[in-house]
């Protein structure tokens, strides 16, 4: 794979058969054998419309669809003409069927007082009321179907309530991760032309308060200077952080909902009604608003939740996904896919190591968590913190373990299996993306034999393949581009306001196929192994960052002339951020101590511009960057240098100035 430089270096031969009988008090697996899986998968590919038609009937629709799928590449419409409501299926449906008193959401706050942490349990009936009140509150502020509501909150139940309230009335939400900076709010609010922001006074994170409302205020001021007015800001008081309230614009969550009626019927919405925008990084500077719609997304996330995590109502299960709702994982597998399955979903507010490094295991034990879904970066942190932390808690209720966000290194996989799953819980390594909406390639627990580091085989209805640039399927063991060859229900419907970018990013490189942007190969059993991104996106702690975004943040500092950012191996994050920076003469540090100080200033500047997640792990000052004669920065060369590779094996024939390479290498040795 010359161009994208994908080489498979992993060689992993261990295979784990699925446990024949689920561990603990686990209910039966949904499928009983690999033949079941293969038969169902084949049916879903041979007759996708028949397959998805049947599944969609498991959920409530106000009026039926006339066609399951209308496909005009690259535009898919699913359940055409049908009307439904995702909030109804997640909440009201369970109240109507007599399950209103069962727990829908279990929430645990971060601070731990003398009486333990604060815990809230919301039943479906309570959730329905809270959502309806907030939905009415939104309506009273003029929010209507099709409007985009921005949500920038900590992990509190009200975050899920705000999302579901939007879904209830047909407004779209754009959730911004609470770890992002005010500049990130500005970019996303402007792009979405959003006029309403829902936030908290602050969010608890590792014992400290993140000032969310202050960030929103700062963003609103900048937005005003761009001529964009935010008309309403709704603030939930969570941390008793002092906040400024602007009269006329700012509303207190409880004052707004207290005055609102708890009666707000779910709006019957067209299956293709926009459900949410979620901004994610791409190769170019500006984050893109990935657009998802209602019906197909609902059906796909419902079905994947059910099969991949083996969910069964009435079986005493407690599902916990440790993601933040600011990422797609939180959208699909805390809220939208899980609630329609009528299994309680657990939300935890804070950090995994607060007040101590066993917090997650403490939560698992106290709440008798049965499904646990996290990221490889977290697993690597747990490994580092020590085996004794999980060992001192009762993890016997666990049934299925999941991982998502980046390729998991086999060592971390083995540790997860042994120390968390006690060698009896299947691990589901789920490959998917913000764009795919739901799981695409994943084992099915109890059925798929697993191999550490492989996401195994496609889910029902998913036609995944490894191809070359011409779309020719590659023989097994050959690296290539991961593509999806036919539409699936939860696929993105576009990039908000940028049709051209949608077509160019996903549908142009390989004609007629969806380009995932990952390199991958299949082994002799046909199992998929993801090798990493093929574009200028780096996956830091399982979260996507465009190298361009970090570069623009760096050059926005007056001392920086030019910057190149690449990924580098990082023990915990998987990929860390390495920045090569050329400084303006005015800012050249006089000595080594001043240089170190300035590196810290620049790292803090990036964190302020984008968020702490983008803070570079290594900054190196250089007189010039290695470029080709046509002026292109040679990133592969920088990647090798950042990785501390002994010998540069890259082709350097196009390098313009060889002395740069020598200088960069010298720094390595210094
Ligand atoms: O590179 C793949 C990696 O994460 C990318 C998608 O990132 P994002 O849209 O932020 O969504 C993350 C959560 C779904 C993919 O292109 N990725 C995600 N899951 C896996 C993975 N790489 C390997 N194995 C996975 N299980």
């Amino acid at each position: 794979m010359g161009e994208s430089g994908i080489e498979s270096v992993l060689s992993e031969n261990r295979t784990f058969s699925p446990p024949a009988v689920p561990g603990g008090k686990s209910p039966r697996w949904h499928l009983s054998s690999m033949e079941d899986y293969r038969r169902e998968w084949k049916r879903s590919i041979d007759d996708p419309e028949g397959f998805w038609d049947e599944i969609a009937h498991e959920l409530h629709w106000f009026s039926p669809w006339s066609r399951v799928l209308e496909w005009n590449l690259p535009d898919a419409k699913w359940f055409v003409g049908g009307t439904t409501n995702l909030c109804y299926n997640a909440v009201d449906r369970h109240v109507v069927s007599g399950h209103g008193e069962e727990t829908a959401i279990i929430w645990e706050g971060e601070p731990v007082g003398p009486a333990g942490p604060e815990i809230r349990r919301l039943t479906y009936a309570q959730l329905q009321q809270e959502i309806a009140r907030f939905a009415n509150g939104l309506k009273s502020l003029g929010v209507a179907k099709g409007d985009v509501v921005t949500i920038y909150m900590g992990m509190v139940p009200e975050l899920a309530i705000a999302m579901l309230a939007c879904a209830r009335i047909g407004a779209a939400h754009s959730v911004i991760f609470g770890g992002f900076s005010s500049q990130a709010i500005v970019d996303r609010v402007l792009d979405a032309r959003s006029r309403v922001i829902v936030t908290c006074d602050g969010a608890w994170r590792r014992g400290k308060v993140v000032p969310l409302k202050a960030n929103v205020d700062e963003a609103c001021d900048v937005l005003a200077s761009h001529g964009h007015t935010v008309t309403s800001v709704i603030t939930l008081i969570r941390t008793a952080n002092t906040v400024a309230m602007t009269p006329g614009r700012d509303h207190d969550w409880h004052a707004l909902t207290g005055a609102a009626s708890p009666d707000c019927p779910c709006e019957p919405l067209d299956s293709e009604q926009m459900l949410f925008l979620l901004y994610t990084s791409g190769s170019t500077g500006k984050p893109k608003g990935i657009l998802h719609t209602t019906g197909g997304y609902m059906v796909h996330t419902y079905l994947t939740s059910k099969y991949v995590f083996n969910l069964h109502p009435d079986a005493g299960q407690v599902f916990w996904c440790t993601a933040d709702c600011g990422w797609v994982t939180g959208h699909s597998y805390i809220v939208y896919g899980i609630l329609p399955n009528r299994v309680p979903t657990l939300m935890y507010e804070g950090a995994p190591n607060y007040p101590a490094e066993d917090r997650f295991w403490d939560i698992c034990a106290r709440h008798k968590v049965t499904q646990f879904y996290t990221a490889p970066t977290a697993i690597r942190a747990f490994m580092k913190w020590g085996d004794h932390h999980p060992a001192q808690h009762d993890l016997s209720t666990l049934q299925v373990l999941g991982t998502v966000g980046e390729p998991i290194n086999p060592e971390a996989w083995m540790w997860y299996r042994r120390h968390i799953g006690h060698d009896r819980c299947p691990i589901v390594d789920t490959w998917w993306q913000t764009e795919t909406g739901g799981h695409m390639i994943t084992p099915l627990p109890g059925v798929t034999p697993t191999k550490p580091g492989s996401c195994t085989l496609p889910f029902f209805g998913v036609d995944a393949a490894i191809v070359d640039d011409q779309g020719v399927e590659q023989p097994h063991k050959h690296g290539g581009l991961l593509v999806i060859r036919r539409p699936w229900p939860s696929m993105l419907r576009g990039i908000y306001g940028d049709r051209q970018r949608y077509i160019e990013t996903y549908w142009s490189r390989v004609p007629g196929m969806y380009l995932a942007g990952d390199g991958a190969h299949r082994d002799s059993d046909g199992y998929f192994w993801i090798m990493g991104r093929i574009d200028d996106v780096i996956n830091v702690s399982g979260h996507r960052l465009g190298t361009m975004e970090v570069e623009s943040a760096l050059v926005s500092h007056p001392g920086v002339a030019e910057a190149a950012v690449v990924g580098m191996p990082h023990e915990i994050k998987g990929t860390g951020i390495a920045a090569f920076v050329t400084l303006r003469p005015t800012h050249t540090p006089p000595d080594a101590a001043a240089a170190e100080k300035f590196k810290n200033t620049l790292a803090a500047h990036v964190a302020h511009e984008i968020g702490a997640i983008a803070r570079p792990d290594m900054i190196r000052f250089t007189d010039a960057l290695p470029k080709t004669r046509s002026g292109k920065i040679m990133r592969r060369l920088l990647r090798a240098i950042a990785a501390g590779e002994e010998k540069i094996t890259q082709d350097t024939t196009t390098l313009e100035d060889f002395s740069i390479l020598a200088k960069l290498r010298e720094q390595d040795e210094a």
Side-chain angles (χ1 to χ4, degrees):
M1 272 286 312
E3 217 221 322
S4 45
I6 301 169
E7 260 171 60
S8 168
V9 287
L10 268 180
S11 156
E12 173 59 60
N13 299 315
R14 286 169 288 198
T15 301
F16 293 89
S17 327
V21 184
K25 292 204 181 76
S26 179
R28 62 176 180 80
W29 307 116
H30 280 295
L31 295 178
S32 48
S33 67
M34 266 317 254
E35 283 90 76
D36 273 7
Y37 158 74
R38 290 193 195 281
R39 197 191 49 245
E40 277 297 281
W41 183 78
K42 188 164 183 309
R43 183 169 83 93
S44 73
I45 294 296
D46 292 345
D47 177 21
E49 300 199 26
F51 177 86
W52 289 111
D53 184 272
E54 207 172 281
I55 304 298
H57 277 102
E58 293 180 24
L59 296 162
H60 178 85
W61 295 76
F62 294 102
S63 59
W65 51 91
S66 54
R67 278 194 71 181
V68 173
L69 170 65
E70 210 175 277
W71 177 228
N72 295 306
L73 193 135
D75 299 306
K77 285 186 180 165
W78 283 87
F79 310 109
V80 183
T83 59
T84 186
N85 188 294
L86 188 29
C87 181
Y88 185 90
N89 278 290
V91 182
D92 297 58
R93 191 165 56 102
H94 307 317
V95 177
V96 171
S97 62
H99 300 281
E101 298 315 308
E102 292 172 16
T103 305
I105 294 180
I106 304 169
W107 172 84
E108 178 161 317
E110 188 190 77
V112 181
E118 187 185 348
I119 291 167
R120 285 169 63 189
R121 280 169 217 281
L122 288 157
T123 64
Y124 293 102
Q126 288 166 333
L127 192 56
Q128 183 189 36
Q129 281 219 351
E130 299 279 331
I131 294 166
R133 280 186 197 281
F134 190 69
N136 279 329
L138 287 176
K139 282 188 189 169
S140 73
L141 299 175
V143 175
K145 190 158 107 179
D147 290 348
V148 180
V149 174
T150 298
I151 302 178
Y152 178 71
M153 301 175 85
M155 279 290 284
V156 285
E158 285 78 4
L159 168 50
I161 289 168
M163 291 164 71
L164 288 158
C166 290
R168 196 171 187 87
I169 62 175
H173 53 70
S174 161
V175 183
I176 303 175
F177 172 52
F180 280 138
S181 67
S182 64
Q183 185 57 45
I185 307 176
V186 171
D187 296 341
R188 287 157 178 75
V189 166
L190 262 187
D191 188 79
R193 314 297 308 162
S194 173
R195 302 219 170 261
V196 176
I197 303 181
V198 189
T199 189
C200 298
D201 58 343
W204 287 111
R205 188 75 194 173
R206 214 162 283 132
K208 296 206 178 76
V209 173
V210 184
L212 298 180
K213 174 64 162 65
N215 289 348
V216 169
D217 289 342
E218 202 181 312
C220 287
D221 290 346
V222 179
L223 284 162
S225 72
H226 287 289
H228 181 86
T229 309
V230 171
T231 52
S232 309
V233 176
I234 305 163
T235 305
L236 177 88
I237 302 299
R238 161 67 188 140
T239 60
N241 184 22
T242 315
V243 291
M245 295 292 269
T246 304
R249 185 197 71 182
D250 289 0
H251 305 268
D252 172 83
W253 173 294
H254 289 292
L256 185 74
T257 53
S261 152
D263 186 24
C264 174
C266 291
E267 189 86 23
L269 299 170
D270 188 274
S271 177
E272 285 300 329
Q273 176 72 35
M274 173 163 70
L275 177 69
F276 66 83
L277 294 178
L278 186 55
Y279 284 82
T280 187
S281 299
S283 324
T284 56
K286 205 173 115 202
K288 47 195 179 187
I290 302 301
L291 194 159
H292 282 284
T293 59
T294 305
Y297 174 83
M298 169 176 83
V299 172
H300 192 121
T301 55
Y302 157 76
L303 192 73
T304 47
S305 299
K306 176 172 166 177
Y307 278 86
V308 176
F309 299 120
N310 196 42
L311 298 187
H312 296 261
D314 305 317
Q317 292 176 325
V318 174
F319 178 90
W320 184 21
C321 164
T322 70
D324 190 288
C325 285
W327 309 106
V328 74
T329 308
H331 283 58
S332 301
Y333 300 108
I334 293 178
V335 182
Y336 291 124
I338 307 301
L339 289 172
N341 275 287
R342 193 156 58 76
V343 167
T345 182
L346 191 146
M347 280 176 88
Y348 168 57
E349 180 178 39
N353 54 351
Y354 190 86
E357 287 157 351
D358 66 341
R359 182 66 187 264
F360 275 14
W361 319 125
D362 183 39
I363 293 176
C364 283
R366 277 188 290 103
H367 295 283
K368 300 191 170 31
V369 169
T370 50
Q371 275 78 7
F372 180 74
Y373 191 29
T374 196
T377 181
I379 298 169
R380 286 190 294 267
F382 304 146
M383 286 172 76
K384 195 167 172 209
W385 294 338
D387 307 349
H388 56 290
H389 291 302
Q392 66 199 16
H393 294 279
D394 178 5
L395 301 179
S396 64
T397 54
L398 289 171
Q399 299 168 3
V400 178
L401 302 177
T403 149
V404 59
E406 57 177 307
I408 181 165
N409 45 313
E411 196 195 350
W413 194 99
M414 291 301 295
W415 185 91
Y416 197 28
R417 176 181 158 89
R418 181 143 313 138
H419 295 278
I420 308 305
H422 299 163
D423 293 328
R424 60 176 179 79
C425 300
I427 295 179
V428 289
D429 176 352
T430 59
W431 178 86
W432 59 295
Q433 311 176 292
T434 305
E435 291 87 341
T436 72
H439 299 152
M440 299 296 278
I441 307 180
T442 174
L444 294 178
V447 175
T448 315
T450 48
K451 305 182 190 186
S454 170
C455 52
T456 76
L457 297 165
F459 188 72
F460 303 140
V462 174
D463 183 16
I466 309 295
V467 300
D468 64 12
D469 275 295
Q470 279 69 48
V472 177
E473 190 156 8
Q474 297 298 289
H476 288 173
K477 298 186 184 164
H478 269 67
L481 307 168
L482 175 58
V483 294
I484 313 294
R485 294 186 291 200
R486 55 177 90 198
W488 64 99
S490 63
M491 67 186 273
L492 77 166
R493 300 300 195 263
I495 294 176
Y496 192 64
D498 202 341
R499 171 123 187 118
Q500 203 47 38
R501 194 174 177 194
Y502 172 62
I503 293 169
E504 275 164 19
T505 312
Y506 305 110
W507 303 98
S508 295
R509 181 153 167 190
V510 188
M513 300 177 191
Y514 169 81
L515 182 80
D518 282 346
H521 74 276
R522 303 181 78 165
D523 66 15
S524 47
D525 293 323
Y527 276 34
F528 284 81
W529 297 79
I530 307 296
M531 296 186 284
R533 300 287 308 181
I534 54 165
D535 51 15
D536 290 328
V537 171
I538 47 182
N539 204 324
V540 181
S541 302
H543 298 307
R544 267 156 72 171
L545 277 175
T547 51
M548 279 277 290
E549 281 172 76
V550 185
E551 287 165 7
S552 1
L554 281 164
V555 294
S556 74
H557 189 283
V560 175
E562 197 177 23
V565 165
V566 294
M568 64 179 215
H570 189 283
E571 194 191 346
I572 300 291
K573 299 180 182 180
T575 306
I577 300 175
F580 294 85
V581 174
T582 57
L583 296 176
R584 291 187 193 283
T586 46
H587 284 72
T588 308
D591 53 35
E596 278 316 301
K597 204 166 154 220
F598 194 43
K599 284 179 188 174
N600 289 336
T601 307
L602 289 181
H605 176 74
V606 174
H608 178 263
E609 289 296 299
I610 303 175
I613 188 173
R615 182 189 290 272
D617 298 283
M618 180 192 92
I619 295 181
R620 195 170 282 190
F621 294 144
T622 169
D623 293 340
L625 292 166
K627 288 186 187 166
T628 61
R629 274 165 215 132
S630 59
K632 235 178 132 208
I633 294 173
M634 296 180 73
R635 288 169 192 282
R636 273 205 269 157
L637 210 52
L638 291 176
R639 272 197 286 274
I641 292 165
E645 280 174 23
E646 289 290 307
K647 251 184 109 170
I648 302 295
T649 51
Q650 264 82 19
D651 178 10
T652 51
T653 45
T654 54
L655 182 63
E656 197 195 30
D657 177 357
F658 276 94
S659 68
I660 294 170
L661 186 57
K663 279 187 203 145
L664 285 165
R665 301 277 298 142
E666 262 165 40
Q667 288 194 29
D668 240 359
E669 281 141 26

